[in-house]
Amino acid sequence: MEEPSKFERYVYKNASVYHYMKISLVLENGNRNISSAEFKQLIIRGLKDLYGEIGASFPFDLLKFDENELTAILRVYNSGLVKLWSALTLLGSYQNEACAFRVTQVSPFLLALSGNSRELQFRDQLAS
Amino acid sequence: MSTCHPAPFDQRGILLAKRNPEVKCSVFKASYAHVGNMVRFKSRYLLLELCVSERSSLQLLNEKAISQTLKAAVNRAHGDYGTAHLNIGVLVKYLNALTGVVFIRCRKWNYRLIWSALPFITCLENRGQNVPCFFNCLHVGGTIRTCQKFLVKYNKQQLNRMLLDCKTDDEKQEVRRAILSCSLDYLRGEEAHEDRSNDDDDEEI
C-alpha cells in the first residue's frame, strides 16, 4: 500500500509580476500572411486608438507567434492587463478588413498556458 | 445601520448635519433621510498660468479655444478613454486675458489624467491664428475659494518680485500700494481684477 501522496498548498497574494495571455486572431477573409512584427504593430495600434500615446506606453512582449494558425502568447505587466485586454476586445479591423481577437487563456503563470482542457484528448483511456 | 445610533448621539448628529452641510452623511443617511442626500460632489480646480511670448496675443483667446485645445491634447495623449473622461464634468471655468490665469474644473477622480496631458500643449488656435504657449500649473484646489486665496498670495509674491525690478519711485509707490491692499476680504470681484491688472501695467513699463 503506497502512502497517500502529501500535497502542500501555497497561497500567494501577488503571485507573479506578469500576466500571460494566449490569443488568436480571426480574420473575416481567412488567413493571410502576417509577420510577428505586423501582429505586434496591430496590437499597438489598437492600444493607441483606445488609450492614446500615454495610456498605451506600457511594454508588452510577444513571446510566441504561430504564423499558420495566427495564435500568439503575450506577456504583460499586471498593471497593464486590463488595458491590453480591453484594447484587444475593441480592435475591429486590420487593413480595412474585419477581424477579431479571441482570448483563449489568461494566467499569471506561463506553465498554465501549456495545457488547455479544451485540447485534451482522451483517446488512450477510451481504448482501454 | 439602525444599531449604530445611541440615543444621545442622535441630537448631535442632527446638529452636525445642520451646521455643516458638507459633512459626508453616509452614517446618517438611514435615519435622516428626511434631511436629504448630503454626500458632497467633489471636484478639483486646476489653476494654470498661460505663458505666451507676447502679452498682446493673450487678448485674442477665450474659453472655447482653450477647451478645444485641451480636448485635442487629451485625445492625443489618452485616446478615446481620455476623451470620455473629458466629457464628464470638465469645464474651462475662467480665463483672465490680462494675466493669463486659467481655471479648469475637473472631477476628483479624473483630474490627474487631464493634468498629465497639459504639458503636451504647445500652441493654442483661435480663428486660424496660432499662439505658441505653454501651461504652467500653479495650484490644484478643491474649491474656487481656496484657489482664489492661493492666487492672492501668489500675486503678492509676484508684486514683491516686481518691486525689486522697479526703476522709478512712482512705480515703487504704486506697487507698494497694490501689495498693501491685498487681502481676500477687501478684494472681491472687480478689485481682484484691478490688482492683477496693476501687475500687468508695471511689467509693461
Side-chain angles (χ1 to χ4, degrees):
Chain A
M1 242 324 240
E2 50 191 44
E3 4 174 84
S5 52
K6 290 190 240 177
F7 72 93
E8 284 179 333
R9 193 167 123 173
Y10 293 94
V11 178
Y12 291 97
K13 273 229 155 152
N14 276 329
S16 159
V17 184
Y18 298 107
H19 260 84
Y20 299 87
M21 299 177 73
K22 194 190 240 181
I23 62 176
S24 80
L25 176 61
V26 173
L27 290 167
E28 191 186 21
N29 297 332
N31 279 350
R32 290 169 52 171
N33 277 341
I34 301 181
S35 70
S36 49
E38 283 177 14
F39 193 80
K40 190 166 182 192
Q41 178 56 29
L42 173 63
I43 301 178
I44 291 179
R45 187 166 59 80
L47 267 175
K48 279 221 173 110
D49 281 339
L50 186 56
Y51 289 110
E53 301 274 341
I54 298 179
S57 61
F58 59 90
F60 71 94
D61 307 306
L62 187 63
L63 296 180
K64 267 207 181 291
F65 180 63
D66 185 348
E67 283 203 19
N68 303 324
E69 305 277 316
L70 288 182
T71 58
I73 296 185
L74 303 177
R75 176 179 73 171
V76 69
Y77 280 95
N78 284 341
S79 51
L81 175 69
V82 175
K83 289 190 172 174
L84 182 63
W85 202 339
S86 54
L88 287 173
T89 309
L90 293 175
L91 234 174
S93 66
Y94 171 63
Q95 290 183 0
N96 292 329
E97 191 184 304
C99 73
F101 273 98
R102 306 277 182 231
V103 176
T104 332
Q105 259 183 308
V106 179
S107 164
F109 304 108
L110 191 52
L111 193 58
L113 298 184
S114 64
N116 187 1
S117 56
R118 289 178 229 182
E119 294 160 12
L120 210 55
Q121 287 172 348
F122 288 101
R123 245 180 298 141
D124 296 331
Q125 292 192 6
L126 285 175
S128 67
Chain B
M1 269 301 166
S2 53
T3 53
C4 62
H5 296 300
F9 188 65
D10 281 342
Q11 277 91 28
R12 252 196 298 149
I14 296 178
L15 270 176
L16 260 179
K18 274 195 190 155
R19 223 185 324 132
N20 186 4
E22 297 168 355
V23 83
K24 192 163 182 185
C25 278
S26 49
V27 178
F28 301 127
K29 248 194 223 173
S31 322
Y32 305 118
H34 60 280
V35 190
N37 187 4
M38 283 189 276
V39 172
R40 188 169 168 198
F41 221 7
K42 301 206 176 178
S43 48
R44 289 283 176 265
Y45 290 90
L46 292 171
L47 187 63
L48 314 167
E49 190 190 345
L50 186 53
C51 305
V52 280
S53 41
E54 306 153 32
R55 285 222 145 206
S56 51
S57 48
L58 264 182
Q59 309 274 350
L60 307 166
L61 299 171
N62 57 356
E63 281 103 349
K64 230 181 176 184
I66 293 193
S67 82
Q68 274 174 3
T69 318
L70 186 64
K71 270 195 188 140
V74 171
N75 194 19
R76 231 175 328 154
H78 291 284
D80 295 336
Y81 183 64
T83 313
H85 270 283
L86 207 67
N87 284 333
I88 304 175
V90 172
L91 203 55
V92 177
K93 274 276 181 180
Y94 169 75
L95 163 66
N96 188 333
L98 294 169
T99 55
V101 167
V102 188
F103 223 27
I104 297 182
R105 182 216 163 113
C106 326
R107 295 267 178 254
K108 189 178 169 187
W109 39 272
N110 69 6
Y111 78 98
R112 296 188 67 159
L113 196 100
I114 293 152
W115 195 358
S116 68
L118 290 175
F120 296 97
I121 301 180
T122 51
C123 66
L124 289 174
E125 256 198 47
N126 187 19
R127 279 175 259 141
Q129 292 180 358
N130 260 354
V131 177
C133 69
F134 70 91
F135 280 99
N136 193 16
C137 183
L138 301 175
H139 187 58
V140 177
T143 57
I144 298 186
R145 198 180 160 77
T146 55
C147 287
Q148 202 179 8
K149 278 191 213 167
F150 173 82
L151 199 56
V152 169
K153 249 194 286 175
Y154 181 74
N155 283 339
K156 232 199 244 187
Q157 281 173 0
Q158 297 289 80
L159 287 175
N160 277 328
R161 229 180 277 166
M162 277 189 334
L163 191 59
L164 299 170
D165 293 335
C166 276
K167 288 169 199 126
T168 70
D169 276 333
D170 285 336
E171 283 177 28
K172 282 192 184 166
Q173 284 295 328
E174 211 177 311
V175 175
R176 281 204 194 103
R177 189 184 56 80
I179 295 177
L180 287 172
S181 65
C182 265
S183 79
L184 194 60
D185 304 310
Y186 180 61
L187 298 171
R188 280 207 188 264
E190 284 99 85
E191 267 116 11
H193 287 289
E194 215 178 69
D195 192 53
R196 281 183 231 136
S197 62
N198 277 341
D199 191 12
D200 189 51
D201 285 293
D202 291 323
E203 215 169 316
E204 263 165 9
I205 303 165

